Amino acid sequence: MQLPADYHMHTPLCRHATGEPVEYAKQAVAIGLTEIGFSDHSPMRRDGFDNWRMNQDQLDEYVENVRKAQKDFPQLTIRLALEVDYLPGHEDWIRELAARHSWDYFIGSVHYVSDSWDIDNPAKLSEWQNRNTFEVWSAYFDRLTLAAGSKLFEIIGHADLPKKFGHRPNRDCTSLFEKFLAAAKKSGCAIELNTAGLRKDCREIYPSRRILELAFQKGVAITFGSDAHAPEEVGMNFAEARQLARDVGYRECCQFVKRKCRPINL
Ligand SMILES: [Zn+2]
Ligand SMILES: [Zn+2]
């Protein structure tokens, strides 16, 4: 059984990951992956927006580091990508980023439900106490739906991120999920199975099986990502993620080359 490509990996330039790209590549080869993609947190137009991403003037260095890994590991296919924060109003900036290098894909992620609250930030965990859980999920999925429909991204990252610390609404969220997935389908955007959720309080892959079932019914394509912030996390729990996708009905996933999808067998 061939494990799918790991399309979500970080580098130390984002200031909260360890290990150079060559070390991630080495680990990928060691566990038998044949394809990976780096998707570090993209810079914002304004440096200092937060403390968990590269600055603008580090973008070229990031690309060089990935190119070095490509050169050092010719037996491994290594894609060049970014995990880009979607915030309404940032669309022009995201287009500028897209024009700067020859990217293979952009993962569009919502971490911010407002300009000041990144809901997955452990340093801001207490903010959840001031909020209604359903309202946070609702605001998050409204943004995720905009991201999915924006045509700025090939993949939507960790679709149900608000569950990270275990905050789950006691109201039915099906309509939120369906709106988001309809937008993804319409614009041809894939979603990722992100195994980092298994390493968080929620102890579950992003997204939930329920969302994945809805995605399959709607014909939304998938990719896989470990969201590795250290080399030993590369490809983590990928057999389990692949099995989940197959159990739901998926027999294909997407490979991305220069921002174009090629379906491959799962
Ligand atoms: Zn990160
Ligand atoms: Zn993320």
Side-chain angles (χ1 to χ4, degrees):
M1 179 202 64
Q2 178 60 53
L3 290 174
D6 187 344
Y7 270 1
H8 195 147
M9 308 191 314
H10 293 275
T11 84
L13 288 174
C14 71
R15 308 163 205 218
H16 62 280
T18 55
E20 291 303 323
V22 287
E23 297 171 70
Y24 288 67
K26 188 172 169 220
Q27 174 70 2
V29 171
I31 64 167
L33 297 185
T34 57
E35 182 177 350
I36 59 174
F38 287 92
S39 52
D40 209 358
H41 297 287
S42 66
M44 293 284 193
R45 192 189 286 285
R46 178 171 66 78
D47 288 340
F49 184 92
D50 55 31
N51 63 357
W52 49 269
R53 65 187 64 252
M54 68 182 88
N55 286 334
Q56 273 198 61
D57 65 2
Q58 293 176 304
L59 192 64
D60 290 348
E61 183 185 345
Y62 168 64
V63 172
E64 276 166 34
N65 293 344
V66 174
R67 297 287 183 222
K68 177 169 172 29
Q70 288 172 331
K71 213 176 293 160
D72 290 358
F73 290 85
Q75 72 275 45
L76 182 66
T77 299
I78 303 180
R79 306 290 177 204
L80 175 67
L82 284 173
E83 180 182 14
V84 180
D85 275 79
Y86 177 76
L87 287 92
H90 288 218
E91 291 84 353
D92 285 346
W93 169 238
I94 296 167
R95 282 186 203 99
E96 280 178 46
L97 280 173
R100 288 201 188 179
H101 289 279
S102 182
W103 310 104
D104 288 306
Y105 57 91
F106 272 6
I107 298 177
S109 291
V110 171
H111 303 101
Y112 283 91
V113 293
S114 70
D115 277 5
S116 58
W117 188 30
D118 35 350
I119 56 165
D120 64 323
N121 190 339
K124 296 179 190 167
L125 181 54
S126 65
E127 183 62 21
W128 278 95
Q129 292 165 15
N130 306 326
R131 308 278 184 139
N132 173 287
T133 299
F134 178 77
E135 280 169 18
V136 177
W137 277 65
S138 184
Y140 170 87
F141 272 95
D142 283 351
R143 285 199 168 185
L144 204 67
T145 302
L146 290 175
S150 69
K151 303 217 174 198
L152 295 168
F153 313 112
E154 282 66 46
I155 304 165
I156 292 296
H158 42 61
D160 56 357
L161 183 66
K163 75 182 176 189
K164 177 178 177 181
F165 301 116
H167 299 93
R168 294 170 190 274
N170 47 21
R171 277 174 60 182
D172 181 29
C173 289
T174 305
S175 66
L176 300 179
F177 303 155
E178 288 196 321
K179 241 194 303 178
F180 156 62
L181 292 166
K185 174 63 185 170
K186 189 165 175 229
S187 63
C189 190
I191 60 170
E192 66 168 3
L193 276 79
N194 181 316
T195 59
L198 292 165
R199 314 193 291 274
K200 309 298 181 193
D201 294 342
C202 59
R203 300 271 163 216
E204 188 182 84
I205 288 171
Y206 305 111
S208 65
R209 186 187 179 111
R210 168 91 179 118
I211 295 176
L212 201 61
E213 284 168 351
L214 293 169
F216 180 71
Q217 284 167 21
K218 284 198 161 44
V220 175
I222 53 167
T223 61
F224 293 80
S226 64
D227 215 338
H229 285 70
E232 63 270 20
E233 292 172 348
V234 171
M236 213 175 235
N237 300 112
F238 264 36
E240 184 179 335
R242 177 182 177 273
Q243 192 57 51
L244 173 63
R246 286 188 60 88
D247 288 350
V248 163
Y250 282 99
R251 294 293 179 269
E252 284 181 345
C253 61
C254 275
Q255 181 180 59
F256 283 104
V257 185
K258 304 273 185 262
R259 310 201 72 175
K260 290 264 180 297
C261 171
R262 293 180 189 162
I264 51 169
N265 289 337
L266 183 60

